[in-house]
Amino acid sequence: MKKTCCDELFSRAKRVIPGGVNSPVRAFNGVGGTPVFVASGKRQKIRTADGRTLTDYCCSWGAMILGHARGEIVSAVKCAAAHGSTFGIATPAEVDFAERLVSLVPGMDMVRAVNSGTEAVMTALRLARGVTGRTRVLKFDGCYHGHSDTVLVKSGSGVLTMGASSSAGVTPGAVADTLVVPYNDLTAVEQAFAAHGDTIAAVIVEPVAGNMGLVPPGEGFLKGLRKITKNFGALLICDEVINGFRFGFSSYSALYAGITPDLITLGKVIGGGLPLAAVGGRAKWMRQLAPTGPVYQAGTLSGNPLAVAAGLKTLDLLAREQPYGRMAELGSALAVGISTIAAEHGLPVTCQSFNGVFTPFCTDAPVQDLADAKACSTALYAQIFHGLLDRGIYIAPSQFECNFISAAHSAADVDAFLDAFEDVCAHLEPWDEA
Ligand SMILES: *Cc1c(COP(=O)(O)O)cnc(C)c1O
């Protein structure tokens, strides 16, 4: 294959794609430098367009839980493609896929397939508003729920805040419909319900926050949300687009939190690397979707045969191989190693991890919400990122993201990561705290 240079690709890309990328984080604005363009991937490795091989800890934000280009998944997709890519007509595999999710996720009586996590959340929110007749949604600062209007809102100052838009083009009406409180702050949720309870349709939460870096829920936080929403007649939506099937072979809510949400959104892992996501939950809510109910939702490519084939095959392989214990062990070895090495070098790095997902936060203190995360040194993170990249390791190009170990990663990869990290720590330049 012809060798291309990432710099040249980026110049070409910037002329025809805004910022040169199809999703902002890929532009490396958080760390500087020229973004990586991937030519191919196999198992835990990716090959860049200029011919470098990197060990990948992004794994498409966790979607590639079995590693890249897994043979059985490639075959399943090829086979599906050979039988027709899309019909706009129902197919048998969609039924298999829905039955599989319903059998694996407690509280998911019915499920609808969509094309992205963004869509799954949009549908969940519309459904919550449709069935409650209420307008507001409460979300947590630093949790990401895709790029639809009402969830592109960040908190202003103060504990209980009406949000401010975090994007141009979001109407004041959409912002007014969104309440934002700090993650892990049950008191703030109680205050929000005390003030606005009769107008809140739903609380939406990432059970383990994954979009400000990895931030686990505090003791009692998720159970508390379940109780408050129930008391006030609001729906609890667990956005498990990252969490679901990532920490174990079901939802986080069922496996670790011991709660049953009203609605659950899934994405990333369940699509096996193709555009596929889902929203599901209690039948009495799900039946309110069109065509049985008044809440409209649709999609030309929803339940797409190629995507469903990749998703089903991924679930088959996960069921058979159950890689979760191994990924968790590798993840904790990595996290402990990172924190230990950083401490030896007197660096403020706290690596938070859970079951193979980790974030090296450049701060001394544990991170429990977005305010803690914002205290991190992004300048130090940028140096760590580029130091690792120079040594053949690709981590998230932003401090405020998770990194993912796949079933294809090995103990040797963890050792190589820690050796590289040690070397990076030994060669850091002074950094600005700005
Ligand atoms: C990735 C993500 C989304 C959005 O999914 P897309 O497929 O990128 O639209 C929504 N919620 C959470 C928690 C996510 O991590």
Side-chain angles (χ1 to χ4, degrees):
M1 218 189 111
K2 193 174 122 234
K3 272 197 182 178
T4 32
C5 166
C6 290
D7 285 306
E8 191 199 316
L9 276 168
F10 193 42
S11 307
R12 278 173 53 202
K14 278 188 288 192
R15 268 177 244 132
V16 288
I17 305 171
V21 292
N22 284 314
S23 196
V25 71
R26 298 178 198 167
F28 278 25
N29 287 342
V31 289
T34 305
V36 163
F37 287 75
V38 180
S40 65
K42 186 69 191 172
R43 297 178 52 79
Q44 80 280 38
K45 304 281 185 183
I46 49 178
R47 200 165 166 79
T48 70
D50 40 19
R52 301 184 60 213
T53 299
L54 307 173
T55 307
D56 180 18
Y57 289 89
C58 171
C59 297
S60 199
W61 308 113
M64 302 317 291
I65 192 167
L66 295 166
H68 299 288
R70 176 79 191 242
E72 296 94 324
I73 298 172
V74 173
S75 301
V77 172
K78 275 187 183 164
C79 179
H83 289 89
S85 306
T86 176
F87 304 99
I89 305 172
T91 56
E94 291 167 71
V95 187
D96 295 339
F97 183 67
E99 282 175 348
R100 187 74 61 86
L101 291 182
V102 165
S103 74
L104 292 171
V105 182
M108 210 175 239
D109 305 334
M110 301 181 96
V111 61
R112 177 155 285 171
V114 294
N115 305 299
S116 68
T118 295
E119 271 186 73
V121 168
M122 274 171 51
T123 299
L125 295 177
R126 185 177 302 135
L127 186 52
R129 290 181 165 119
V131 302
T132 59
R134 301 174 180 176
T135 54
R136 286 197 166 111
V137 166
L138 185 144
K139 76 176 284 286
F140 296 93
D141 206 8
C143 284
Y144 177 70
H145 303 292
H147 57 88
S148 67
D149 285 1
T150 53
V151 283
L152 275 188
V153 175
K154 62 172 190 275
S155 74
S157 55
V159 176
L160 168 56
T161 47
M162 291 294 181
S165 169
S166 48
S167 166
V170 172
T171 65
V175 172
D177 283 340
T178 308
L179 299 167
V180 186
V181 300
Y183 182 74
N184 268 333
D185 189 343
L186 217 44
T187 308
V189 178
E190 279 160 2
Q191 288 170 359
F193 271 92
H196 305 288
D198 56 345
T199 64
I200 300 176
V203 169
I204 184 165
V205 65
E206 289 181 81
V208 176
N211 284 287
M212 52 178 146
L214 186 93
V215 183
E219 186 72 39
F221 177 59
L222 297 169
K223 282 213 163 87
L225 295 183
R226 180 63 286 185
K227 198 165 157 215
I228 296 166
T229 46
K230 200 167 190 180
N231 287 348
F232 280 87
L235 270 58
L236 178 62
I237 303 169
C238 281
D239 181 357
E240 299 221 17
V241 169
I242 285 185
N243 290 192
F245 293 92
R246 205 343 119 171
F247 300 125
F249 196 54
S250 183
S251 64
Y252 179 91
S253 357
L255 291 174
Y256 299 97
I259 57 164
T260 307
D262 294 285
L263 297 172
I264 301 174
T265 52
L266 297 169
K268 299 191 170 100
V269 169
I270 64 155
L274 271 81
L276 176 60
V279 52
R282 307 265 301 278
K284 70 170 170 179
W285 307 134
M286 293 300 292
R287 284 203 187 94
Q288 299 303 310
L289 282 177
T292 38
V295 179
Y296 193 71
Q297 189 276 336
T300 300
L301 294 179
S302 291
N304 175 263
L306 274 62
V308 165
L312 274 172
K313 184 55 75 178
T314 297
L315 293 175
D316 284 346
L317 293 167
L318 286 172
R320 195 196 318 148
E321 297 172 5
Q322 293 288 340
Y324 296 102
R326 238 192 90 253
M327 294 193 299
E329 275 170 31
L330 294 178
S332 62
L334 196 47
V336 169
I338 289 170
S339 296
T340 307
I341 291 167
E344 282 163 8
H345 288 268
L347 297 168
V349 177
T350 306
C351 192
Q352 296 192 177
S353 85
F354 182 66
N355 284 13
V357 183
F358 65 99
T359 301
F361 284 110
C362 292
T363 174
D364 278 324
V367 173
Q368 291 176 331
D369 60 19
L370 188 63
D372 294 343
K374 279 187 169 159
C376 291
S377 167
T378 52
L380 174 57
Y381 186 85
Q383 276 203 53
I384 291 173
F385 170 83
H386 281 292
L388 289 172
L389 185 57
D390 290 344
R391 292 162 180 82
I393 291 164
Y394 186 88
I395 62 168
S398 162
Q399 169 72 94
F400 310 107
E401 300 283 0
C402 288
N403 298 284
F404 299 86
I405 285 176
S406 77
H409 285 78
S410 66
D413 291 315
V414 170
D415 291 344
F417 187 113
L418 294 176
D419 287 347
F421 185 65
E422 170 84 55
D423 198 41
V424 171
C425 291
H427 293 92
L428 289 173
E429 312 268 332
W431 67 91
D432 259 343
E433 281 306 338

